[in-house]
PDB file of all heavy atoms in Angstrom:
ATOM      1  N   ARG A 126      14.371   2.534  15.253  1.00  0.00           N
ATOM      2  CA  ARG A 126      15.548   2.610  16.130  1.00  0.00           C
ATOM      3  C   ARG A 126      16.389   1.335  16.023  1.00  0.00           C
ATOM      4  O   ARG A 126      17.612   1.390  16.095  1.00  0.00           O
ATOM      5  CB  ARG A 126      15.113   2.841  17.585  1.00  0.00           C
ATOM      6  CG  ARG A 126      14.855   4.313  17.895  1.00  0.00           C
ATOM      7  CD  ARG A 126      14.587   4.480  19.377  1.00  0.00           C
ATOM      8  NE  ARG A 126      13.336   3.818  19.707  1.00  0.00           N
ATOM      9  CZ  ARG A 126      12.224   4.462  20.065  1.00  0.00           C
ATOM     10  NH1 ARG A 126      12.240   5.772  20.193  1.00  0.00           N
ATOM     11  NH2 ARG A 126      11.120   3.810  20.337  1.00  0.00           N
ATOM     12  N   LEU A 129      18.319   1.648  12.803  1.00  0.00           N
ATOM     13  CA  LEU A 129      19.343   2.683  13.001  1.00  0.00           C
ATOM     14  C   LEU A 129      20.524   2.100  13.775  1.00  0.00           C
ATOM     15  O   LEU A 129      21.692   2.338  13.445  1.00  0.00           O
ATOM     16  CB  LEU A 129      18.713   3.867  13.762  1.00  0.00           C
ATOM     17  CG  LEU A 129      19.658   4.940  14.288  1.00  0.00           C
ATOM     18  CD1 LEU A 129      20.376   5.649  13.148  1.00  0.00           C
ATOM     19  CD2 LEU A 129      18.886   5.965  15.127  1.00  0.00           C
ATOM     20  N   ASP A 163      13.585  18.636  21.516  1.00  0.00           N
ATOM     21  CA  ASP A 163      13.599  17.745  22.692  1.00  0.00           C
ATOM     22  C   ASP A 163      12.971  16.390  22.354  1.00  0.00           C
ATOM     23  O   ASP A 163      13.433  15.344  22.813  1.00  0.00           O
ATOM     24  CB  ASP A 163      12.814  18.375  23.853  1.00  0.00           C
ATOM     25  CG  ASP A 163      13.618  19.465  24.557  1.00  0.00           C
ATOM     26  OD1 ASP A 163      14.839  19.561  24.316  1.00  0.00           O
ATOM     27  OD2 ASP A 163      13.012  20.223  25.339  1.00  0.00           O
ATOM     28  N   ASP A 164      11.909  16.421  21.553  1.00  0.00           N
ATOM     29  CA  ASP A 164      11.265  15.152  21.166  1.00  0.00           C
ATOM     30  C   ASP A 164      12.238  14.253  20.401  1.00  0.00           C
ATOM     31  O   ASP A 164      12.265  13.033  20.582  1.00  0.00           O
ATOM     32  CB  ASP A 164      10.055  15.410  20.263  1.00  0.00           C
ATOM     33  CG  ASP A 164       8.925  16.135  20.952  1.00  0.00           C
ATOM     34  OD1 ASP A 164       8.840  16.060  22.191  1.00  0.00           O
ATOM     35  OD2 ASP A 164       8.125  16.794  20.246  1.00  0.00           O
ATOM     36  N   LEU A 165      13.018  14.889  19.518  1.00  0.00           N
ATOM     37  CA  LEU A 165      13.968  14.094  18.713  1.00  0.00           C
ATOM     38  C   LEU A 165      15.017  13.450  19.614  1.00  0.00           C
ATOM     39  O   LEU A 165      15.351  12.272  19.457  1.00  0.00           O
ATOM     40  CB  LEU A 165      14.687  15.005  17.717  1.00  0.00           C
ATOM     41  CG  LEU A 165      14.195  15.070  16.275  1.00  0.00           C
ATOM     42  CD1 LEU A 165      15.201  15.841  15.427  1.00  0.00           C
ATOM     43  CD2 LEU A 165      13.933  13.698  15.691  1.00  0.00           C
ATOM     44  N   THR A 166      15.525  14.263  20.555  1.00  0.00           N
ATOM     45  CA  THR A 166      16.549  13.754  21.477  1.00  0.00           C
ATOM     46  C   THR A 166      15.985  12.608  22.307  1.00  0.00           C
ATOM     47  O   THR A 166      16.637  11.576  22.517  1.00  0.00           O
ATOM     48  CB  THR A 166      17.023  14.911  22.381  1.00  0.00           C
ATOM     49  OG1 THR A 166      17.525  15.931  21.534  1.00  0.00           O
ATOM     50  CG2 THR A 166      18.093  14.479  23.340  1.00  0.00           C
ATOM     51  N   GLU A 167      14.763  12.794  22.756  1.00  0.00           N
ATOM     52  CA  GLU A 167      14.116  11.743  23.554  1.00  0.00           C
ATOM     53  C   GLU A 167      13.890  10.489  22.708  1.00  0.00           C
ATOM     54  O   GLU A 167      14.072   9.363  23.166  1.00  0.00           O
ATOM     55  CB  GLU A 167      12.782  12.269  24.080  1.00  0.00           C
ATOM     56  CG  GLU A 167      12.170  11.380  25.133  1.00  0.00           C
ATOM     57  CD  GLU A 167      10.782  11.887  25.525  1.00  0.00           C
ATOM     58  OE1 GLU A 167      10.574  13.114  25.542  1.00  0.00           O
ATOM     59  OE2 GLU A 167       9.932  11.047  25.788  1.00  0.00           O
ATOM     60  N   PHE A 168      13.519  10.699  21.452  1.00  0.00           N
ATOM     61  CA  PHE A 168      13.270   9.564  20.557  1.00  0.00           C
ATOM     62  C   PHE A 168      14.533   8.705  20.418  1.00  0.00           C
ATOM     63  O   PHE A 168      14.474   7.478  20.487  1.00  0.00           O
ATOM     64  CB  PHE A 168      12.826  10.070  19.173  1.00  0.00           C
ATOM     65  CG  PHE A 168      12.808   9.002  18.126  1.00  0.00           C
ATOM     66  CD1 PHE A 168      11.809   8.035  18.123  1.00  0.00           C
ATOM     67  CD2 PHE A 168      13.794   8.935  17.151  1.00  0.00           C
ATOM     68  CE1 PHE A 168      11.800   7.019  17.171  1.00  0.00           C
ATOM     69  CE2 PHE A 168      13.793   7.923  16.200  1.00  0.00           C
ATOM     70  CZ  PHE A 168      12.795   6.975  16.205  1.00  0.00           C
ATOM     71  N   LEU A 169      15.687   9.364  20.266  1.00  0.00           N
ATOM     72  CA  LEU A 169      16.910   8.585  20.056  1.00  0.00           C
ATOM     73  C   LEU A 169      17.423   7.967  21.346  1.00  0.00           C
ATOM     74  O   LEU A 169      18.060   6.917  21.327  1.00  0.00           O
ATOM     75  CB  LEU A 169      17.989   9.458  19.419  1.00  0.00           C
ATOM     76  CG  LEU A 169      17.751   9.784  17.950  1.00  0.00           C
ATOM     77  CD1 LEU A 169      18.913  10.610  17.404  1.00  0.00           C
ATOM     78  CD2 LEU A 169      17.592   8.534  17.111  1.00  0.00           C
ATOM     79  N   GLY A 170      17.169   8.624  22.465  1.00  0.00           N
ATOM     80  CA  GLY A 170      17.558   8.022  23.750  1.00  0.00           C
ATOM     81  C   GLY A 170      19.021   8.244  24.084  1.00  0.00           C
ATOM     82  O   GLY A 170      19.761   8.922  23.365  1.00  0.00           O
ATOM     83  N   ASP A 171      19.438   7.620  25.195  1.00  0.00           N
ATOM     84  CA  ASP A 171      20.763   7.883  25.760  1.00  0.00           C
ATOM     85  C   ASP A 171      21.906   7.413  24.875  1.00  0.00           C
ATOM     86  O   ASP A 171      23.052   7.835  25.068  1.00  0.00           O
ATOM     87  CB  ASP A 171      20.895   7.180  27.122  1.00  0.00           C
ATOM     88  CG  ASP A 171      19.978   7.821  28.149  1.00  0.00           C
ATOM     89  OD1 ASP A 171      19.553   8.976  27.908  1.00  0.00           O
ATOM     90  OD2 ASP A 171      19.675   7.167  29.170  1.00  0.00           O
ATOM     91  N   ALA A 172      21.635   6.517  23.965  1.00  0.00           N
ATOM     92  CA  ALA A 172      22.717   5.986  23.121  1.00  0.00           C
ATOM     93  C   ALA A 172      23.250   7.032  22.147  1.00  0.00           C
ATOM     94  O   ALA A 172      24.294   6.840  21.532  1.00  0.00           O
ATOM     95  CB  ALA A 172      22.228   4.761  22.349  1.00  0.00           C
ATOM     96  N   TRP A 173      22.507   8.161  22.008  1.00  0.00           N
ATOM     97  CA  TRP A 173      22.909   9.187  21.050  1.00  0.00           C
ATOM     98  C   TRP A 173      23.095  10.527  21.761  1.00  0.00           C
ATOM     99  O   TRP A 173      22.205  10.968  22.486  1.00  0.00           O
ATOM    100  CB  TRP A 173      21.866   9.324  19.947  1.00  0.00           C
ATOM    101  CG  TRP A 173      21.819   8.138  19.049  1.00  0.00           C
ATOM    102  CD1 TRP A 173      21.145   6.968  19.271  1.00  0.00           C
ATOM    103  CD2 TRP A 173      22.497   7.978  17.808  1.00  0.00           C
ATOM    104  NE1 TRP A 173      21.364   6.087  18.235  1.00  0.00           N
ATOM    105  CE2 TRP A 173      22.196   6.689  17.323  1.00  0.00           C
ATOM    106  CE3 TRP A 173      23.335   8.800  17.049  1.00  0.00           C
ATOM    107  CZ2 TRP A 173      22.700   6.208  16.109  1.00  0.00           C
ATOM    108  CZ3 TRP A 173      23.843   8.318  15.845  1.00  0.00           C
ATOM    109  CH2 TRP A 173      23.529   7.038  15.388  1.00  0.00           C
ATOM    110  N   GLU A 174      24.243  11.129  21.513  1.00  0.00           N
ATOM    111  CA  GLU A 174      24.539  12.453  22.081  1.00  0.00           C
ATOM    112  C   GLU A 174      24.122  13.516  21.064  1.00  0.00           C
ATOM    113  O   GLU A 174      24.489  13.428  19.881  1.00  0.00           O
ATOM    114  CB  GLU A 174      26.049  12.539  22.329  1.00  0.00           C
ATOM    115  CG  GLU A 174      26.526  13.882  22.782  1.00  0.00           C
ATOM    116  CD  GLU A 174      28.052  14.037  22.668  1.00  0.00           C
ATOM    117  OE1 GLU A 174      28.721  13.086  22.176  1.00  0.00           O
ATOM    118  OE2 GLU A 174      28.553  15.098  23.057  1.00  0.00           O
ATOM    119  N   GLU A 175      23.378  14.499  21.537  1.00  0.00           N
ATOM    120  CA  GLU A 175      22.978  15.575  20.619  1.00  0.00           C
ATOM    121  C   GLU A 175      24.158  16.515  20.391  1.00  0.00           C
ATOM    122  O   GLU A 175      24.727  17.025  21.343  1.00  0.00           O
ATOM    123  CB  GLU A 175      21.800  16.349  21.213  1.00  0.00           C
ATOM    124  CG  GLU A 175      21.298  17.422  20.263  1.00  0.00           C
ATOM    125  CD  GLU A 175      20.276  18.349  20.919  1.00  0.00           C
ATOM    126  OE1 GLU A 175      19.217  17.865  21.333  1.00  0.00           O
ATOM    127  OE2 GLU A 175      20.573  19.543  21.003  1.00  0.00           O
ATOM    128  N   PHE A 198      23.262  14.154  15.722  1.00  0.00           N
ATOM    129  CA  PHE A 198      23.546  13.315  16.897  1.00  0.00           C
ATOM    130  C   PHE A 198      24.760  12.427  16.619  1.00  0.00           C
ATOM    131  O   PHE A 198      24.997  12.041  15.472  1.00  0.00           O
ATOM    132  CB  PHE A 198      22.341  12.403  17.200  1.00  0.00           C
ATOM    133  CG  PHE A 198      21.077  13.167  17.448  1.00  0.00           C
ATOM    134  CD1 PHE A 198      20.247  13.553  16.403  1.00  0.00           C
ATOM    135  CD2 PHE A 198      20.699  13.527  18.742  1.00  0.00           C
ATOM    136  CE1 PHE A 198      19.074  14.283  16.616  1.00  0.00           C
ATOM    137  CE2 PHE A 198      19.533  14.254  18.975  1.00  0.00           C
ATOM    138  CZ  PHE A 198      18.735  14.631  17.899  1.00  0.00           C
ATOM    139  N   ARG A 199      25.481  12.120  17.706  1.00  0.00           N
ATOM    140  CA  ARG A 199      26.588  11.165  17.576  1.00  0.00           C
ATOM    141  C   ARG A 199      26.314   9.978  18.479  1.00  0.00           C
ATOM    142  O   ARG A 199      25.950  10.149  19.660  1.00  0.00           O
ATOM    143  CB  ARG A 199      27.921  11.800  17.926  1.00  0.00           C
ATOM    144  CG  ARG A 199      29.090  10.827  17.684  1.00  0.00           C
ATOM    145  CD  ARG A 199      30.450  11.480  17.724  1.00  0.00           C
ATOM    146  NE  ARG A 199      30.569  12.375  18.839  1.00  0.00           N
ATOM    147  CZ  ARG A 199      31.163  13.579  18.760  1.00  0.00           C
ATOM    148  NH1 ARG A 199      31.686  13.989  17.642  1.00  0.00           N
ATOM    149  NH2 ARG A 199      31.245  14.339  19.831  1.00  0.00           N
ATOM    150  N   ARG A 201      27.031   7.127  20.950  1.00  0.00           N
ATOM    151  CA  ARG A 201      28.032   6.955  22.018  1.00  0.00           C
ATOM    152  C   ARG A 201      28.703   5.591  21.903  1.00  0.00           C
ATOM    153  O   ARG A 201      28.123   4.651  21.423  1.00  0.00           O
ATOM    154  CB  ARG A 201      27.360   7.047  23.386  1.00  0.00           C
ATOM    155  CG  ARG A 201      26.750   8.423  23.669  1.00  0.00           C
ATOM    156  CD  ARG A 201      26.179   8.434  25.079  1.00  0.00           C
ATOM    157  NE  ARG A 201      25.117   9.395  25.226  1.00  0.00           N
ATOM    158  CZ  ARG A 201      25.289  10.699  25.516  1.00  0.00           C
ATOM    159  NH1 ARG A 201      26.515  11.159  25.671  1.00  0.00           N
ATOM    160  NH2 ARG A 201      24.269  11.511  25.631  1.00  0.00           N
TER     161      ARG A 201
END
Side-chain angles (χ1 to χ4, degrees):
R126 277 186 294 249
L129 169 63
D163 283 347
D164 294 336
L165 262 190
T166 302
E167 192 185 325
F168 169 74
L169 287 182
D171 292 341
W173 291 83
E174 174 195 3
E175 183 189 298
F198 302 87
R199 184 167 45 221
R201 296 183 206 274

